[in-house]
Amino acid sequence: MASGFASWNLLPLLLLVMCACTCGARDVHQGMYDHDHQELHANDVHDHDHHDPPSSFMNHMDPSSMVFFTLNDLKLGRTMPFYFRERDPSISPQFLPREEADSIPFSSKQLPNLLQLFSFQPESSQAKAMEHTLNQCESRPIKGETKFCATSLESMLDFAHEVFGLDSAFKILTTTHLRKYSRTSIIQNYTVLEAPKEIISAPRYVVVACHTMPYPYAIFYCHSLESENKVFKVSLAGQNGDRLSAVAICHMDTSQWNRHHASFHVLGIEPGSSHVCHFFPAENLVFVPTVSTYLDY
């Protein structure tokens, strides 16, 4: 892999995440709402509860929606406005060990008890974020989608093995901030510094994407789509000097997506009329087979 572009074998990843999982469930909710729950609209293809008309959406567009683009934009030298939020790992929710995570109900029916467990008021922003996460995890998969919300690192890796096959090898990719000049996440222009590298193209190869969800402890919404997807490595430079090695995915078939998905408003397209590409924020993960090789694009 190129320098700065994160890729781990499973054992180092296991050690990396589990070393932070030493506290009890009652003590790990500090910073959970730093994972802005509005980000879910940028990554969620279901979005059952979001029914704003386009004009209303644009009037209060969340910055995290500024991650979408098309393949025509994925060119050397292209400059586009994007939003890459950075999180403080020291206060980000951490995975619980599987035994502890499995002992805590993960169900919208148990939400009142969960709010009491984590000492959140029912009308608080944390409570609303938890409710949204539980609803999204319990929503029906779209056609051709396999989905799972991982409540522990072990369960996330189990899901990946189920999708790829128990004997299949895979690697994990994530967007990496190589250089950062601002402590505040902002929308700014980013320029593609090198010809993007296509890592893999599915459906020939399966891809699993795992998105962080706001919750008192780490929850990842993991899913795999049967439709064609392309994964890229992209080197970006921000106008303020930020440098990123970013992971991007292009969904070539959006016909099954909710028509209120944020990408359609940002790109001005309709479901099924075009593909949609987006960058993955830091801490989101992409699992790809190790047989993949870089392809010039």
Side-chain angles (χ1 to χ4, degrees):
M1 299 291 288
S3 176
F5 190 67
S7 174
W8 301 294
N9 293 322
L10 298 186
L11 181 58
L13 175 65
L14 179 67
L15 295 175
L16 175 67
V17 179
M18 291 302 291
C19 69
C21 301
T22 58
C23 47
R26 290 181 178 271
D27 304 317
V28 297
H29 66 266
Q30 180 185 10
M32 71 84 75
Y33 204 66
D34 292 339
H35 294 236
D36 187 354
H37 72 282
Q38 294 297 327
E39 173 189 309
L40 298 181
H41 296 312
N43 290 325
D44 177 33
V45 299
H46 305 277
D47 219 1
H48 295 301
D49 300 320
H50 187 62
H51 298 291
D52 292 331
S55 59
S56 173
F57 176 88
M58 294 303 291
N59 287 337
H60 61 269
M61 181 185 292
D62 185 77
S64 63
S65 296
M66 298 301 294
V67 295
F68 300 108
F69 58 96
T70 69
L71 281 171
N72 291 332
D73 298 316
L74 207 56
K75 305 294 183 183
L76 173 64
R78 189 64 173 262
T79 298
M80 299 167 283
F82 289 118
Y83 175 84
F84 285 97
R85 187 184 67 249
E86 273 230 273
R87 298 176 175 138
D88 183 350
S90 67
I91 63 172
S92 293
Q94 307 295 334
F95 268 135
L96 297 179
R98 186 203 290 264
E99 182 177 353
E100 186 171 1
D102 289 348
S103 70
I104 302 173
F106 189 74
S107 167
S108 57
K109 295 180 180 179
Q110 294 293 325
L111 182 59
N113 295 330
L114 291 168
L115 296 180
Q116 185 175 10
L117 173 66
F118 295 111
S119 301
F120 292 148
Q121 294 299 316
E123 298 303 317
S124 66
S125 57
Q126 292 92 340
K128 293 178 181 178
M130 287 181 64
E131 181 179 18
H132 189 92
T133 292
L134 290 168
N135 287 338
Q136 294 301 321
C137 289
E138 294 172 357
S139 66
R140 297 185 307 275
I142 64 173
K143 183 179 179 180
E145 179 188 33
T146 302
K147 57 171 284 191
F148 174 73
C149 279
T151 61
S152 66
L153 177 62
E154 296 93 335
S155 65
M156 180 170 64
L157 296 179
D158 284 349
F159 175 72
H161 278 295
E162 289 176 8
V163 172
F164 288 105
L166 294 178
D167 297 327
S168 298
F170 53 85
K171 55 188 174 184
I172 307 173
L173 314 174
T174 187
T175 292
T176 304
H177 291 258
L178 304 177
R179 184 191 304 159
K180 187 167 173 31
Y181 283 89
S182 172
R183 295 302 302 173
T184 304
S185 300
I186 59 173
I187 295 176
Q188 63 173 309
N189 285 326
Y190 286 88
T191 300
V192 179
L193 295 180
E194 302 174 2
K197 299 292 186 179
E198 184 174 353
I199 300 171
I200 201 167
S201 180
R204 181 183 178 188
Y205 296 112
V206 178
V207 174
V208 174
C210 291
H211 308 285
T212 56
M213 305 287 277
Y215 212 71
Y217 51 93
I219 300 293
F220 278 78
Y221 181 107
C222 298
H223 62 147
S224 178
L225 298 170
E226 291 180 0
S227 58
E228 182 182 3
N229 299 283
K230 298 177 182 292
V231 179
F232 295 89
K233 170 195 171 183
V234 187
S235 179
L236 298 172
Q239 65 188 70
N240 69 346
D242 291 353
R243 291 284 301 274
L244 294 94
S245 183
V247 178
I249 189 168
C250 292
H251 304 284
M252 307 308 292
D253 180 7
T254 61
S255 60
Q256 299 298 317
W257 291 22
N258 187 294
R259 65 180 301 271
H260 298 290
H261 188 275
S263 63
F264 300 138
H265 299 287
V266 173
L267 299 176
I269 60 176
E270 296 291 331
S273 66
S274 177
H275 64 274
V276 168
C277 303
H278 68 84
F279 286 112
F280 282 84
E283 297 187 12
N284 286 230
L285 307 175
V286 183
F287 294 69
V288 297
T290 55
V291 296
S292 63
T293 57
Y294 287 149
L295 305 172
D296 289 326
Y297 186 72

